[in-house]
Amino acid sequence: MIRLFVALRPPPPIRDALADLMEGVPDARWQDDEQLHLTLRFIGEVERPQAEDIAAALGHIHAPAPRVALAGVGSFDKGGKVDTLWADVAPAAPLARLAASVDQACVRAGVAPERRAYRPHITVARLSRRAGSAPEVTGWLVRHAALASAPFTLPHLILYQSHLGRGGATYEPVARWPLGTPDAPAGSPGTTGLS
């Protein structure tokens, strides 16, 4: 089985800005540079033939490259405890449209449709139950509430394979397609490397 998701990768200056946020919460598992991405669709575990079908379907997406900016921070919780800290990305509409196109492509490849509402964000930390109730979490959210960046473009749609390990997940880009930009028309052939 291959565990997959589809995402966009922020450029190096944005990843550097996100790295600057990664402190001040004890026991947080901060994301490293290779883990920073904006998920469009979590797919989960599939067999290799279906993974190849998903890659083929994603290669037919014709969409503009989203131009967005960092716009604050937020958190997700589970059972009343914060388990994820993230950076907000705006505007949401172009990302939601692209996520819907990705979902449609996945459905054409036999994946069940996504039922959850789409919320664009870039995860910066995962928290244990103990860390999720620490007062430093509230402090971190307040301290970084005004996070902002200059607009940036997300030029490639990327299919990632997620490898779960004792130290957390590692992400391997296995296919990449350029989105519509002045120098790379939408839907240009991409590279694939499912392993």
Side-chain angles (χ1 to χ4, degrees):
M1 297 289 274
I2 302 172
R3 191 170 192 259
L4 300 174
F5 66 93
V6 182
L8 304 167
R9 181 108 159 107
I14 298 302
R15 299 196 312 265
D16 290 344
L18 294 171
D20 290 343
L21 306 177
M22 297 184 191
E23 61 182 6
V25 179
D27 299 317
R29 289 181 325 238
W30 301 105
Q31 302 290 86
D32 65 29
D33 184 76
E34 293 302 314
Q35 293 172 310
L36 294 173
H37 64 273
L38 192 155
T39 301
L40 293 169
R41 175 67 156 83
F42 178 74
I43 296 167
E45 292 190 348
V46 297
E47 298 287 350
R48 177 176 303 284
Q50 188 174 26
E52 291 169 356
D53 291 346
I54 291 165
L58 292 170
H60 290 290
I61 291 176
H62 295 274
R67 189 155 174 81
V68 296
L70 298 178
V73 295
S75 63
F76 294 133
D77 64 72
K78 186 181 291 182
K81 306 258 186 191
V82 173
D83 69 350
T84 307
L85 298 174
W86 44 264
D88 201 1
V89 182
L95 295 166
R97 284 191 296 272
L98 183 54
S101 294
V102 167
D103 187 55
Q104 291 167 2
C106 290
V107 168
R108 284 194 303 276
V111 178
E114 179 60 74
R115 298 291 181 210
R116 294 172 293 182
Y118 181 69
R119 169 72 183 184
H121 66 280
I122 301 171
T123 297
V124 296
R126 307 244 184 236
L127 306 179
S128 66
R129 288 191 62 77
R130 182 182 61 202
S133 59
E136 290 89 349
V137 172
T138 301
W140 186 91
L141 291 166
V142 170
R143 202 165 44 255
H144 299 296
L147 174 69
S149 74
F152 57 94
T153 301
L154 297 162
H156 292 95
L157 186 65
I158 306 169
L159 179 63
Y160 282 92
Q161 183 172 354
S162 175
H163 303 278
L164 300 178
R166 196 174 311 157
T170 58
Y171 307 135
E172 175 188 2
V174 294
R176 170 196 264 353
W177 302 271
L179 294 167
T181 62
D183 58 349
S188 293
T191 58
T192 60
L194 289 167
S195 60

